[in-house]
Amino acid sequence: MTTPAPIRGYTASKDQLLARLRRVEGQVRGVEKMVDDDRYCIDVLTQISAIQAALDKVALGLLDGHARHCMHTGAAEGRADEMATEMMAAVGRLMKRG
């Protein structure tokens, strides 16, 4: 008997999330090819910026799902402060980039 997968904050949008990540993966491969083809530095940097923006959208979607599902569940279990601290630490890590 298999154990059902846990429900996560992103479960409802998992297909959409995976599609976005596949697009990012394709963008990264494109940048790799640009470097291999000795493309102009600024063009490569522009594509890297687009990849970072796409990953930021993925991260915001994950944070939204976490706030709406995981934190709600945690609060119902009496772990609201713990969940808020964990989420704010994750937000802090995302903001330190660069």
Side-chain angles (χ1 to χ4, degrees):
M1 181 183 274
T2 60
T3 305
I7 296 176
R8 303 289 183 203
Y10 57 83
T11 299
S13 61
K14 186 174 180 177
D15 291 340
Q16 185 179 25
L17 176 64
L18 289 171
R20 278 183 188 256
L21 289 170
R22 281 190 283 277
R23 278 194 296 274
V24 169
E25 182 182 20
Q27 286 177 295
V28 171
R29 280 194 302 270
V31 167
E32 181 182 16
K33 184 172 178 0
M34 290 175 78
V35 170
D36 191 46
D37 293 346
D38 296 317
R39 297 281 298 273
Y40 185 55
C41 301
I42 299 302
D43 292 342
V44 176
L45 291 169
T46 299
Q47 290 306 309
I48 290 171
S49 179
I51 292 167
Q52 288 173 330
L55 285 172
D56 286 345
K57 285 185 179 181
V58 169
L60 283 174
L62 287 169
L63 283 170
D64 182 69
H66 184 73
R68 294 176 190 275
H69 173 77
C70 302
M71 289 189 67
H72 180 72
T73 301
E77 297 170 352
R79 300 182 304 126
D81 287 343
E82 172 191 344
M83 299 296 289
T85 299
E86 180 183 52
M87 184 168 130
M88 292 311 298
V91 170
R93 288 189 299 273
L94 286 169
M95 293 181 73
K96 280 186 184 177
R97 193 171 39 85

